Coordinates of all heavy atoms in Angstrom, one line a residue:
T15 N 10.5 -8.1 -19.8 CA 10.8 -6.7 -20.3 C 12.3 -6.5 -20.2 O 13.0 -7.2 -19.5 CB 10.1 -5.7 -19.4 OG1 10.4 -4.4 -20.0 CG2 10.6 -5.7 -18.0
Y16 N 12.8 -5.6 -21.0 CA 14.2 -5.1 -20.9 C 14.2 -3.9 -19.9 O 13.2 -3.3 -19.6 CB 14.7 -4.7 -22.2 CG 15.2 -5.9 -23.0 CD1 14.3 -6.8 -23.6 CD2 16.5 -6.1 -23.3 CE1 14.7 -7.9 -24.3 CE2 17.0 -7.2 -24.0 CZ 16.0 -8.1 -24.5 OH 16.5 -9.1 -25.2
V17 N 15.4 -3.7 -19.3 CA 15.5 -2.8 -18.2 C 16.7 -1.9 -18.4 O 17.8 -2.4 -18.9 CB 15.7 -3.5 -16.9 CG1 16.1 -2.6 -15.7 CG2 14.4 -4.3 -16.5
I18 N 16.7 -0.6 -18.2 CA 17.9 0.2 -18.2 C 18.4 0.4 -16.8 O 17.7 0.7 -15.9 CB 17.6 1.6 -18.9 CG1 17.0 1.4 -20.3 CG2 18.8 2.5 -18.9 CD1 16.7 2.7 -21.0
A19 N 19.7 0.1 -16.7 CA 20.3 0.1 -15.3 C 21.2 1.4 -15.2 O 21.3 2.2 -16.0 CB 21.1 -1.2 -15.2
Q20 N 21.9 1.3 -14.0 CA 22.7 2.5 -13.6 C 23.7 3.1 -14.6 O 23.9 4.3 -14.5 CB 23.3 2.2 -12.3 CG 24.0 3.4 -11.6 CD 24.3 3.0 -10.1 OE1 23.6 2.4 -9.4 NE2 25.5 3.5 -9.7
P21 N 24.3 2.3 -15.5 CA 25.3 2.9 -16.4 C 24.7 4.1 -17.2 O 25.5 4.9 -17.8 CB 25.8 1.8 -17.2 CG 25.6 0.6 -16.3 CD 24.3 0.8 -15.6
C22 N 23.4 4.1 -17.4 CA 22.8 5.2 -18.2 C 22.8 6.5 -17.5 O 22.8 7.6 -18.1 CB 21.4 4.8 -18.6 SG 20.6 6.0 -19.6
V23 N 22.9 6.5 -16.1 CA 22.8 7.7 -15.3 C 23.8 8.7 -15.7 O 25.0 8.4 -15.6 CB 22.8 7.4 -13.8 CG1 22.7 8.6 -13.0 CG2 21.6 6.4 -13.5
D24 N 23.4 9.9 -16.0 CA 24.3 11.0 -16.4 C 25.1 10.8 -17.7 O 25.9 11.6 -18.0 CB 25.3 11.4 -15.2 CG 24.5 11.8 -14.0 OD1 23.4 12.3 -14.1 OD2 25.1 11.7 -12.9
V25 N 24.7 9.7 -18.4 CA 25.4 9.5 -19.7 C 24.3 9.8 -20.8 O 24.5 10.6 -21.7 CB 25.9 8.0 -19.8 CG1 26.4 7.7 -21.2 CG2 27.0 7.8 -18.8
M26 N 23.2 9.1 -20.7 CA 22.1 9.3 -21.6 C 22.5 9.5 -23.1 O 22.2 10.5 -23.8 CB 21.3 10.6 -21.2 CG 20.8 10.5 -19.7 SD 20.1 12.0 -19.1 CE 18.5 12.0 -19.9
D27 N 23.1 8.4 -23.6 CA 23.6 8.4 -25.0 C 22.4 8.6 -26.0 O 22.6 9.1 -27.0 CB 24.4 7.1 -25.2 CG 24.8 7.0 -26.6 OD1 25.9 7.6 -27.0 OD2 24.1 6.4 -27.4
R28 N 21.3 7.9 -25.7 CA 20.1 8.0 -26.5 C 20.1 7.2 -27.7 O 19.1 7.2 -28.5 CB 19.7 9.5 -26.8 CG 19.4 10.3 -25.5 CD 18.9 11.7 -25.9 NE 18.7 12.6 -24.8 CZ 19.6 13.2 -24.1 NH1 20.9 13.1 -24.4 NH2 19.2 14.0 -23.1
S29 N 21.2 6.4 -28.0 CA 21.1 5.6 -29.2 C 20.0 4.6 -29.2 O 19.5 4.2 -30.2 CB 22.5 4.8 -29.4 OG 23.5 5.7 -29.5
C30 N 19.7 4.2 -28.0 CA 18.6 3.1 -27.8 C 17.3 3.6 -28.4 O 16.5 2.8 -28.9 CB 18.5 2.8 -26.3 SG 18.2 4.2 -25.2
I31 N 17.0 4.9 -28.2 CA 15.7 5.4 -28.6 C 15.4 5.2 -30.1 O 14.3 4.8 -30.5 CB 15.6 7.0 -28.4 CG1 15.7 7.3 -26.9 CG2 14.4 7.6 -29.0 CD1 15.8 8.8 -26.6
E32 N 16.5 5.3 -30.9 CA 16.3 5.2 -32.4 C 15.9 3.7 -32.7 O 15.3 3.5 -33.8 CB 17.6 5.5 -33.1 CG 18.3 6.8 -32.6 CD 17.4 8.0 -32.8 OE1 16.7 8.0 -33.8 OE2 17.4 8.9 -31.9
E33 N 16.3 2.8 -31.9 CA 16.1 1.4 -32.3 C 14.7 0.8 -31.9 O 14.3 -0.2 -32.4 CB 17.2 0.5 -31.6 CG 18.6 0.9 -31.9 CD 18.9 0.8 -33.4 OE1 18.4 -0.2 -34.0 OE2 19.7 1.6 -33.9
C34 N 14.1 1.5 -30.9 CA 12.9 0.9 -30.4 C 11.7 1.0 -31.3 O 11.2 2.1 -31.6 CB 12.6 1.5 -29.0 SG 11.1 0.6 -28.2
P35 N 11.1 -0.1 -31.7 CA 10.0 -0.1 -32.7 C 8.7 0.4 -32.1 O 7.8 0.8 -32.8 CB 9.8 -1.5 -33.1 CG 10.4 -2.4 -32.0 CD 11.5 -1.5 -31.4
V36 N 8.6 0.4 -30.7 CA 7.3 0.8 -30.1 C 7.5 2.1 -29.3 O 6.6 2.5 -28.6 CB 6.7 -0.3 -29.2 CG1 6.3 -1.5 -30.1 CG2 7.7 -0.8 -28.1
D37 N 8.7 2.7 -29.4 CA 8.9 4.0 -28.7 C 8.6 4.0 -27.2 O 8.0 4.9 -26.7 CB 8.1 5.1 -29.4 CG 8.6 6.5 -29.0 OD1 9.7 6.7 -28.7 OD2 7.7 7.5 -29.1
C38 N 9.1 2.9 -26.6 CA 8.8 2.8 -25.1 C 9.9 3.1 -24.2 O 9.9 2.8 -23.0 CB 8.3 1.4 -24.8 SG 9.6 0.1 -25.0
I39 N 10.9 3.9 -24.7 CA 12.0 4.3 -23.9 C 11.9 5.8 -23.6 O 12.0 6.6 -24.6 CB 13.4 4.0 -24.6 CG1 13.5 2.5 -25.0 CG2 14.6 4.4 -23.7 CD1 14.7 2.1 -25.8
Y40 N 11.7 6.1 -22.4 CA 11.3 7.5 -22.0 C 12.4 8.2 -21.3 O 13.1 7.6 -20.5 CB 10.1 7.4 -21.0 CG 8.8 6.9 -21.7 CD1 8.6 5.6 -22.0 CD2 7.8 7.8 -22.1 CE1 7.5 5.1 -22.6 CE2 6.7 7.4 -22.7 CZ 6.5 6.0 -23.0 OH 5.4 5.6 -23.6
E41 N 12.6 9.5 -21.6 CA 13.7 10.3 -21.0 C 13.3 10.9 -19.7 O 12.3 11.7 -19.6 CB 14.1 11.3 -22.0 CG 15.3 12.1 -21.6 CD 15.9 13.0 -22.7 OE1 15.7 12.7 -23.9 OE2 16.5 14.0 -22.3
G42 N 14.1 10.6 -18.7 CA 13.9 11.3 -17.4 C 15.0 12.4 -17.3 O 15.6 12.8 -18.3
G43 N 15.3 12.8 -16.1 CA 16.2 13.9 -15.9 C 17.7 13.4 -16.0 O 18.5 14.1 -16.6
R44 N 18.0 12.2 -15.5 CA 19.4 11.7 -15.5 C 19.6 10.4 -16.1 O 20.7 10.0 -16.3 CB 19.8 11.6 -14.0 CG 19.9 13.0 -13.3 CD 20.3 12.8 -11.8 NE 21.7 12.3 -11.8 CZ 22.3 11.9 -10.6 NH1 21.6 11.9 -9.5 NH2 23.5 11.4 -10.6
M45 N 18.5 9.7 -16.5 CA 18.6 8.5 -17.3 C 17.3 8.3 -18.1 O 16.4 9.1 -18.0 CB 18.9 7.3 -16.4 CG 17.7 6.9 -15.4 SD 18.1 5.3 -14.6 CE 17.5 4.1 -15.8
L46 N 17.3 7.2 -18.9 CA 16.1 6.8 -19.6 C 15.5 5.6 -19.0 O 16.3 4.8 -18.4 CB 16.4 6.6 -21.1 CG 16.5 8.0 -21.8 CD1 17.8 8.8 -21.5 CD2 16.3 7.8 -23.3
Y47 N 14.3 5.4 -19.2 CA 13.5 4.3 -18.5 C 12.6 3.6 -19.5 O 12.0 4.2 -20.4 CB 12.6 4.9 -17.5 CG 13.3 5.7 -16.4 CD1 13.6 7.0 -16.6 CD2 13.6 5.1 -15.1 CE1 14.2 7.8 -15.6 CE2 14.2 5.8 -14.1 CZ 14.5 7.2 -14.3 OH 15.1 7.9 -13.3
I48 N 12.6 2.2 -19.5 CA 11.8 1.5 -20.3 C 10.4 1.2 -19.7 O 10.4 0.7 -18.5 CB 12.5 0.1 -20.7 CG1 13.7 0.4 -21.6 CG2 11.5 -0.8 -21.5 CD1 14.6 -0.8 -21.9
Q49 N 9.3 1.5 -20.4 CA 8.0 1.2 -19.9 C 7.7 -0.3 -20.0 O 7.6 -0.8 -21.1 CB 7.0 2.0 -20.7 CG 5.7 2.5 -19.9 CD 4.8 1.3 -19.5 OE1 5.0 0.2 -19.8 NE2 3.8 1.7 -18.8
P50 N 7.7 -1.1 -18.9 CA 7.6 -2.5 -19.0 C 6.4 -3.1 -19.7 O 6.5 -4.2 -20.3 CB 7.7 -3.0 -17.5 CG 7.3 -1.8 -16.7 CD 7.7 -0.6 -17.5
D51 N 5.3 -2.4 -19.6 CA 4.1 -2.9 -20.3 C 4.1 -2.7 -21.8 O 3.4 -3.3 -22.6 CB 2.8 -2.3 -19.7 CG 2.7 -2.6 -18.2 OD1 3.1 -3.8 -17.8 OD2 2.3 -1.7 -17.5
E52 N 4.9 -1.7 -22.2 CA 4.9 -1.3 -23.6 C 6.1 -2.1 -24.4 O 6.0 -2.3 -25.6 CB 5.1 0.2 -23.8 CG 3.9 0.9 -23.3 CD 4.0 2.5 -23.4 OE1 5.1 3.0 -23.8 OE2 3.0 3.2 -23.1
C53 N 7.1 -2.4 -23.6 CA 8.3 -3.1 -24.3 C 7.8 -4.5 -24.8 O 7.2 -5.2 -24.1 CB 9.4 -3.3 -23.2 SG 10.8 -4.3 -23.8
V54 N 8.1 -4.7 -26.0 CA 7.7 -6.0 -26.7 C 8.9 -7.0 -26.7 O 8.9 -8.0 -27.4 CB 7.2 -5.8 -28.1 CG1 5.9 -5.0 -28.0 CG2 8.1 -5.1 -29.0
D55 N 10.0 -6.7 -25.9 CA 11.1 -7.6 -25.8 C 11.8 -7.9 -27.1 O 12.3 -9.0 -27.3 CB 10.7 -9.0 -25.2 CG 10.3 -8.9 -23.7 OD1 10.5 -7.8 -23.1 OD2 9.9 -9.9 -23.1
C56 N 11.8 -6.9 -28.0 CA 12.5 -7.2 -29.3 C 14.0 -7.2 -29.1 O 14.7 -7.8 -29.9 CB 12.1 -6.1 -30.3 SG 12.9 -4.6 -30.1
G57 N 14.5 -6.6 -28.1 CA 16.0 -6.6 -27.8 C 16.8 -5.7 -28.7 O 18.0 -5.7 -28.6
A58 N 16.2 -4.9 -29.6 CA 17.0 -4.1 -30.5 C 17.8 -3.0 -29.8 O 18.9 -2.6 -30.3 CB 16.1 -3.5 -31.5
C59 N 17.4 -2.6 -28.7 CA 18.0 -1.5 -28.0 C 19.3 -2.0 -27.3 O 20.3 -1.2 -27.1 CB 17.1 -0.9 -26.9 SG 16.4 -2.1 -25.8
E60 N 19.3 -3.2 -26.8 CA 20.4 -3.7 -26.0 C 21.8 -3.6 -26.6 O 22.7 -3.0 -25.9 CB 20.1 -5.1 -25.5 CG 21.0 -5.7 -24.5 CD 22.0 -6.7 -25.1 OE1 21.6 -7.6 -25.8 OE2 23.2 -6.5 -24.9
P61 N 22.0 -4.0 -27.8 CA 23.4 -4.0 -28.3 C 23.9 -2.6 -28.7 O 25.1 -2.4 -28.8 CB 23.4 -4.9 -29.5 CG 22.0 -4.9 -30.0 CD 21.2 -4.7 -28.7
V62 N 23.1 -1.6 -28.8 CA 23.5 -0.3 -29.3 C 24.0 0.6 -28.2 O 24.6 1.7 -28.4 CB 22.5 0.4 -30.2 CG1 22.1 -0.4 -31.4 CG2 21.3 0.8 -29.4
C63 N 23.7 0.3 -26.9 CA 24.1 1.2 -25.8 C 25.6 1.1 -25.6 O 26.1 0.0 -25.3 CB 23.3 0.8 -24.5 SG 23.9 1.8 -23.2
P64 N 26.3 2.2 -25.7 CA 27.7 2.2 -25.6 C 28.3 1.9 -24.2 O 29.4 1.6 -24.1 CB 28.2 3.6 -26.1 CG 27.0 4.5 -25.8 CD 25.8 3.6 -26.0
V65 N 27.4 2.0 -23.2 CA 27.9 1.8 -21.9 C 27.2 0.5 -21.3 O 27.3 0.2 -20.1 CB 27.6 3.0 -20.9 CG1 28.5 4.1 -21.3 CG2 26.2 3.4 -20.9
E66 N 26.6 -0.3 -22.1 CA 26.0 -1.6 -21.7 C 25.0 -1.4 -20.5 O 25.2 -2.1 -19.5 CB 27.0 -2.6 -21.4 CG 27.8 -3.0 -22.7 CD 28.8 -4.2 -22.5 OE1 28.5 -5.1 -21.8 OE2 29.9 -4.1 -23.1
A67 N 24.1 -0.4 -20.6 CA 23.2 -0.2 -19.6 C 21.9 -1.0 -19.7 O 21.1 -1.0 -18.7 CB 22.8 1.3 -19.6
I68 N 21.7 -1.6 -20.8 CA 20.4 -2.3 -21.1 C 20.5 -3.8 -21.0 O 21.4 -4.4 -21.6 CB 19.8 -1.9 -22.5 CG1 19.8 -0.4 -22.6 CG2 18.4 -2.5 -22.6 CD1 19.3 0.1 -24.0
Y69 N 19.6 -4.4 -20.2 CA 19.6 -5.9 -20.0 C 18.2 -6.4 -20.1 O 17.2 -5.7 -19.6 CB 20.2 -6.2 -18.6 CG 21.6 -5.8 -18.4 CD1 22.0 -4.5 -18.0 CD2 22.6 -6.7 -18.7 CE1 23.3 -4.2 -17.9 CE2 24.0 -6.4 -18.6 CZ 24.3 -5.1 -18.2 OH 25.6 -4.7 -18.1
Y70 N 18.1 -7.7 -20.5 CA 16.8 -8.4 -20.3 C 16.7 -8.6 -18.8 O 17.7 -8.8 -18.1 CB 16.9 -9.8 -21.0 CG 15.6 -10.5 -20.9 CD1 14.4 -10.0 -21.4 CD2 15.5 -11.7 -20.2 CE1 13.2 -10.6 -21.3 CE2 14.3 -12.4 -20.1 CZ 13.1 -11.8 -20.6 OH 11.9 -12.5 -20.5
E71 N 15.5 -8.5 -18.3 CA 15.4 -8.5 -16.8 C 16.0 -9.6 -16.1 O 16.6 -9.5 -15.0 CB 13.9 -8.3 -16.4 CG 13.0 -9.5 -16.9 CD 11.5 -9.2 -16.6 OE1 11.2 -8.7 -15.5 OE2 10.7 -9.7 -17.4
D72 N 16.0 -10.8 -16.7 CA 16.5 -12.0 -16.1 C 18.1 -12.0 -16.1 O 18.7 -12.8 -15.4 CB 16.1 -13.3 -16.8 CG 14.6 -13.5 -16.6 OD1 14.0 -12.9 -15.7 OD2 14.0 -14.4 -17.3
D73 N 18.6 -11.1 -16.9 CA 20.1 -11.1 -17.1 C 20.7 -9.9 -16.4 O 21.9 -9.6 -16.5 CB 20.5 -11.0 -18.6 CG 20.0 -12.2 -19.3 OD1 19.9 -13.3 -18.7 OD2 19.7 -12.1 -20.5
L74 N 19.9 -9.1 -15.6 CA 20.5 -7.9 -14.9 C 21.6 -8.3 -14.0 O 21.4 -9.2 -13.1 CB 19.4 -7.3 -14.1 CG 18.7 -6.0 -14.6 CD1 17.7 -5.6 -13.5 CD2 19.6 -4.9 -14.9
P75 N 22.7 -7.7 -14.0 CA 23.8 -8.0 -13.0 C 23.2 -7.7 -11.6 O 22.4 -6.7 -11.4 CB 24.9 -7.0 -13.4 CG 24.7 -6.7 -14.9 CD 23.2 -6.8 -15.1
Q76 N 23.7 -8.5 -10.7 CA 23.2 -8.4 -9.3 C 23.2 -7.0 -8.7 O 22.2 -6.6 -8.0 CB 24.1 -9.4 -8.5 CG 23.8 -9.4 -7.0 CD 22.4 -10.0 -6.6 OE1 22.0 -10.9 -7.3 NE2 21.8 -9.5 -5.6
Q77 N 24.2 -6.3 -9.0 CA 24.4 -5.0 -8.3 C 23.3 -4.0 -8.8 O 23.1 -2.9 -8.2 CB 25.8 -4.4 -8.4 CG 26.2 -3.9 -9.8 CD 26.9 -5.0 -10.7 OE1 26.5 -6.2 -10.6 NE2 27.8 -4.6 -11.5
W78 N 22.7 -4.3 -9.9 CA 21.6 -3.4 -10.5 C 20.3 -4.0 -10.4 O 19.4 -3.6 -11.1 CB 22.0 -3.0 -11.9 CG 23.3 -2.3 -11.9 CD1 23.8 -1.3 -11.0 CD2 24.3 -2.4 -12.9 NE1 25.1 -0.9 -11.4 CE2 25.4 -1.5 -12.6 CE3 24.4 -3.2 -14.1 CZ2 26.6 -1.4 -13.4 CZ3 25.6 -3.0 -14.9 CH2 26.6 -2.2 -14.5
S79 N 20.1 -5.0 -9.6 CA 18.8 -5.8 -9.6 C 17.6 -4.8 -9.2 O 16.5 -5.1 -9.6 CB 18.9 -6.9 -8.6 OG 19.2 -6.5 -7.3
D80 N 17.9 -3.8 -8.5 CA 16.8 -2.8 -8.2 C 16.2 -2.1 -9.4 O 15.1 -1.5 -9.3 CB 17.5 -1.6 -7.4 CG 17.2 -1.6 -6.0 OD1 16.7 -2.7 -5.5 OD2 17.4 -0.6 -5.3
Y81 N 16.9 -2.2 -10.5 CA 16.5 -1.4 -11.7 C 15.3 -1.9 -12.4 O 14.6 -1.1 -13.1 CB 17.7 -1.1 -12.6 CG 18.5 0.1 -12.0 CD1 19.4 -0.1 -11.0 CD2 18.3 1.4 -12.5 CE1 20.1 0.9 -10.4 CE2 19.1 2.4 -12.0 CZ 19.9 2.2 -10.9 OH 20.6 3.3 -10.4
T82 N 14.9 -3.1 -12.2 CA 13.6 -3.6 -12.7 C 12.5 -2.8 -12.1 O 11.6 -2.2 -12.8 CB 13.4 -5.1 -12.4 OG1 14.5 -5.8 -13.0 CG2 12.1 -5.6 -13.0
R83 N 12.6 -2.7 -10.8 CA 11.6 -1.9 -10.0 C 11.7 -0.4 -10.3 O 10.7 0.3 -10.4 CB 11.9 -2.1 -8.5 CG 11.1 -1.3 -7.5 CD 11.4 -1.7 -6.1 NE 12.7 -1.2 -5.6 CZ 12.9 0.0 -5.1 NH1 11.9 0.8 -4.9 NH2 14.1 0.3 -4.6
V84 N 13.0 0.1 -10.5 CA 13.2 1.5 -10.8 C 12.5 1.9 -12.1 O 11.8 2.9 -12.2 CB 14.7 1.8 -10.8 CG1 15.0 3.2 -11.5 CG2 15.2 1.8 -9.4
N85 N 12.7 1.1 -13.1 CA 12.1 1.4 -14.4 C 10.6 1.3 -14.3 O 9.8 2.2 -14.8 CB 12.5 0.4 -15.5 CG 13.9 0.7 -16.1 OD1 14.1 1.0 -17.3 ND2 15.0 0.6 -15.3
A86 N 10.0 0.3 -13.6 CA 8.6 0.1 -13.5 C 8.0 1.3 -12.7 O 6.9 1.8 -13.1 CB 8.2 -1.2 -12.9
E87 N 8.6 1.6 -11.6 CA 8.0 2.6 -10.7 C 8.1 4.0 -11.3 O 7.3 4.9 -10.9 CB 8.7 2.6 -9.3 CG 8.3 1.3 -8.5 CD 9.0 1.2 -7.2 OE1 9.9 2.1 -6.9 OE2 8.7 0.3 -6.5
F88 N 9.0 4.2 -12.2 CA 9.0 5.5 -12.9 C 7.7 5.9 -13.5 O 7.3 7.0 -13.7 CB 10.2 5.5 -14.0 CG 10.3 6.8 -14.7 CD1 10.9 7.9 -14.1 CD2 9.9 7.0 -16.0 CE1 11.1 9.1 -14.8 CE2 10.0 8.2 -16.7 CZ 10.6 9.3 -16.0
F89 N 7.0 4.8 -13.9 CA 5.7 5.0 -14.6 C 4.5 5.0 -13.7 O 3.4 5.1 -14.2 CB 5.6 4.0 -15.8 CG 6.7 4.2 -16.8 CD1 7.8 3.4 -16.7 CD2 6.6 5.1 -17.8 CE1 8.9 3.6 -17.6 CE2 7.6 5.3 -18.7 CZ 8.8 4.6 -18.6
T90 N 4.7 5.0 -12.4 CA 3.6 5.1 -11.5 C 3.1 6.5 -11.7 O 3.8 7.5 -11.6 CB 4.1 5.0 -10.0 OG1 4.7 3.7 -9.9 CG2 2.9 5.1 -9.0
G91 N 1.8 6.7 -12.0 CA 1.3 8.0 -12.2 C 1.3 8.4 -13.7 O 0.3 9.0 -14.2
L92 N 2.3 7.9 -14.4 CA 2.3 8.2 -15.9 C 1.5 7.1 -16.6 O 0.9 7.3 -17.7 CB 3.7 8.1 -16.4 CG 4.6 9.3 -16.4 CD1 6.0 8.9 -16.8 CD2 4.1 10.4 -17.2
G93 N 1.5 5.9 -16.0 CA 0.9 4.8 -16.7 C 1.6 4.4 -18.0 O 2.8 4.3 -18.0
S94 N 0.8 4.1 -19.0 CA 1.3 3.7 -20.3 C 1.0 4.7 -21.3 O -0.1 4.7 -21.9 CB 0.6 2.3 -20.6 OG 1.1 1.8 -21.8
P95 N 1.9 5.7 -21.5 CA 1.6 6.8 -22.4 C 1.4 6.5 -23.8 O 0.9 7.2 -24.6 CB 2.8 7.8 -22.2 CG 3.4 7.4 -20.9 CD 3.2 5.9 -20.8
G96 N 2.0 5.3 -24.2 CA 1.8 4.9 -25.6 C 2.8 5.5 -26.6 O 2.6 5.6 -27.8
G97 N 4.0 5.9 -26.0 CA 5.0 6.4 -26.9 C 5.7 7.6 -26.3 O 5.0 8.5 -25.9
A98 N 7.1 7.6 -26.3 CA 7.8 8.6 -25.7 C 7.7 9.9 -26.5 O 7.9 11.0 -25.9 CB 9.3 8.2 -25.5
A99 N 7.4 9.8 -27.7 CA 7.2 11.0 -28.6 C 6.1 11.9 -28.0 O 6.1 13.1 -28.2 CB 7.0 10.7 -30.0
K100 N 5.1 11.2 -27.4 CA 3.9 11.9 -26.9 C 4.3 12.7 -25.6 O 3.7 13.8 -25.4 CB 2.8 11.0 -26.6 CG 2.2 10.3 -27.8 CD 1.1 9.4 -27.4 CE 0.6 8.6 -28.6 NZ -0.2 7.4 -28.2
T101 N 5.2 12.2 -24.8 CA 5.5 12.9 -23.5 C 6.6 13.8 -23.6 O 6.7 14.8 -23.0 CB 5.8 11.8 -22.4 OG1 7.0 11.2 -22.8 CG2 4.7 10.8 -22.2
G102 N 7.6 13.5 -24.5 CA 8.8 14.3 -24.5 C 9.6 14.0 -23.3 O 9.2 13.2 -22.4
P103 N 10.8 14.7 -23.1 CA 11.6 14.5 -21.9 C 10.8 14.9 -20.7 O 10.0 15.8 -20.7 CB 12.8 15.4 -22.1 CG 12.9 15.6 -23.6 CD 11.4 15.6 -24.1
L104 N 11.0 14.1 -19.6 CA 10.1 14.2 -18.4 C 10.8 15.0 -17.3 O 10.1 15.5 -16.4 CB 9.6 12.9 -18.0 CG 8.6 12.3 -19.0 CD1 8.5 10.8 -18.9 CD2 7.3 12.9 -18.9
A105 N 12.1 15.1 -17.3 CA 12.8 16.0 -16.4 C 12.6 15.6 -14.9 O 12.8 16.4 -14.0 CB 12.5 17.5 -16.6
V106 N 12.2 14.3 -14.7 CA 12.1 13.8 -13.3 C 12.8 12.5 -13.3 O 13.1 11.9 -14.3 CB 10.7 13.7 -12.8 CG1 10.0 15.0 -12.6 CG2 9.9 12.8 -13.8
D107 N 13.1 12.0 -12.1 CA 13.7 10.6 -11.9 C 13.1 9.9 -10.8 O 12.5 10.4 -9.9 CB 15.3 10.8 -11.7 CG 16.0 11.2 -13.0 OD1 16.1 10.3 -13.9 OD2 16.4 12.3 -13.1
H108 N 13.3 8.5 -10.9 CA 13.0 7.7 -9.7 C 13.8 8.1 -8.5 O 15.0 8.5 -8.7 CB 13.3 6.2 -10.1 CG 12.8 5.3 -9.0 ND1 13.5 5.0 -7.9 CD2 11.6 4.5 -9.0 CE1 12.8 4.2 -7.1 NE2 11.7 3.8 -7.8
P109 N 13.3 8.1 -7.3 CA 14.1 8.5 -6.1 C 15.4 7.8 -6.0 O 16.4 8.5 -5.5 CB 13.1 8.2 -5.0 CG 11.8 8.1 -5.5 CD 11.9 7.7 -7.0
V110 N 15.5 6.6 -6.4 CA 16.8 5.8 -6.3 C 17.8 6.5 -7.2 O 19.0 6.6 -6.8 CB 16.6 4.3 -6.7 CG1 17.9 3.7 -7.0 CG2 15.9 3.6 -5.6
V111 N 17.4 7.0 -8.3 CA 18.3 7.6 -9.3 C 18.6 9.0 -8.8 O 19.8 9.5 -8.9 CB 17.7 7.6 -10.7 CG1 18.6 8.4 -11.7 CG2 17.6 6.1 -11.1
A112 N 17.6 9.7 -8.4 CA 17.8 11.1 -8.0 C 18.8 11.2 -6.8 O 19.5 12.2 -6.7 CB 16.4 11.7 -7.5
A113 N 18.9 10.2 -6.0 CA 19.7 10.2 -4.8 C 21.2 9.9 -5.1 O 22.1 10.0 -4.3 CB 19.2 9.2 -3.8
L114 N 21.5 9.4 -6.4 CA 22.8 9.0 -6.7 C 23.7 10.2 -6.8 O 23.3 11.3 -7.3 CB 22.9 8.3 -8.0 CG 22.3 6.9 -8.1 CD1 22.2 6.4 -9.5 CD2 23.1 5.9 -7.3
P115 N 25.0 10.1 -6.4 CA 26.0 11.2 -6.7 C 26.2 11.2 -8.2 O 25.8 10.3 -8.9 CB 27.2 10.7 -5.9 CG 27.1 9.2 -5.8 CD 25.6 8.9 -5.7
P116 N 26.9 12.3 -8.7 CA 27.2 12.4 -10.1 C 27.9 11.1 -10.6 O 28.7 10.6 -9.9 CB 28.1 13.6 -10.2 CG 27.7 14.4 -9.0 CD 27.3 13.4 -7.9
Q117 N 27.4 10.6 -11.8 CA 28.0 9.4 -12.4 C 28.8 9.7 -13.6 O 28.5 10.7 -14.2 CB 26.8 8.5 -12.7 CG 25.9 8.1 -11.5 CD 26.5 7.1 -10.6 OE1 27.0 6.1 -11.0 NE2 26.5 7.5 -9.3
P118 N 29.7 8.8 -14.1 CA 30.1 7.6 -13.4 C 30.8 7.9 -12.1 O 31.6 8.8 -12.1 CB 31.0 7.0 -14.4 CG 30.9 7.7 -15.7 CD 30.3 9.0 -15.4
A119 N 30.4 7.1 -11.1 CA 30.9 7.4 -9.8 C 32.4 7.2 -9.7 O 33.0 6.3 -10.4 CB 30.2 6.5 -8.7
Ligands
F3S17 FE1 21.2 5.3 -21.8 FE2 22.5 3.6 -23.3 FE3 20.2 4.5 -24.0 S1 23.4 5.3 -22.1 S2 20.1 6.5 -23.2 S3 20.6 3.3 -22.3 S4 21.9 4.1 -25.3
F3S18 FE1 12.1 -1.3 -27.3 FE2 14.2 -2.4 -26.3 FE3 11.9 -3.2 -25.6 S1 14.0 -1.8 -28.4 S2 10.7 -3.0 -27.4 S3 12.7 -1.2 -25.2 S4 13.6 -4.5 -25.9

């Protein structure tokens, strides 16, 4: 799966949403999250992010290695909604993200 990492926090450019063929990029309160079971690894989102927040999971920089778990755990309880258009913005965040000071730090 692809993963959105910390550079998205408080930036939320949203260019990535337009590129995703399966609409698996969901909006939280302070960042967006990729649903790992819905992502088909097409990679279209990665180059359009202006702050380089998106990585293939194996290529995540070490300092953001937590974000594979952060993206996955965001969907605990939500499961696999089958498209972000169905849920709309969710206005909540993973606890790791909620605890961050205002970004960019
Ligand atoms: Fe965030 Fe980049 Fe998408 S800032 S919303 S991952 S385009
Ligand atoms: Fe969508 Fe990016 Fe995955 S465009 S399918 S979230 S690699």
Side-chain angles (χ1 to χ4, degrees):
T15 186
Y16 279 70
V17 169
I18 301 182
Q20 189 167 317
C22 184
V23 177
D24 297 337
V25 175
M26 300 175 76
D27 176 84
R28 299 183 180 80
S29 299
C30 55
I31 295 174
E32 314 299 322
E33 302 300 325
C34 185
V36 294
D37 194 28
C38 69
I39 306 176
Y40 293 76
E41 186 171 333
R44 296 180 63 191
M45 68 170 275
L46 279 75
Y47 302 84
I48 293 176
Q49 211 294 355
D51 299 323
E52 295 179 352
C53 173
V54 296
D55 287 355
C56 78
C59 53
E60 186 257 308
V62 303
C63 176
V65 293
E66 295 185 37
I68 308 177
Y69 295 88
Y70 184 63
E71 58 184 328
D72 293 346
D73 298 330
L74 258 183
Q76 175 70 32
Q77 72 268 34
W78 300 320
S79 56
D80 254 14
Y81 278 78
T82 301
R83 176 176 74 87
V84 164
N85 281 246
E87 289 177 356
F88 181 75
F89 296 94
T90 304
L92 273 175
S94 182
K100 293 181 187 163
T101 64
L104 293 158
V106 291
D107 284 291
H108 187 280
V110 165
V111 174
L114 290 171
Q117 302 288 308

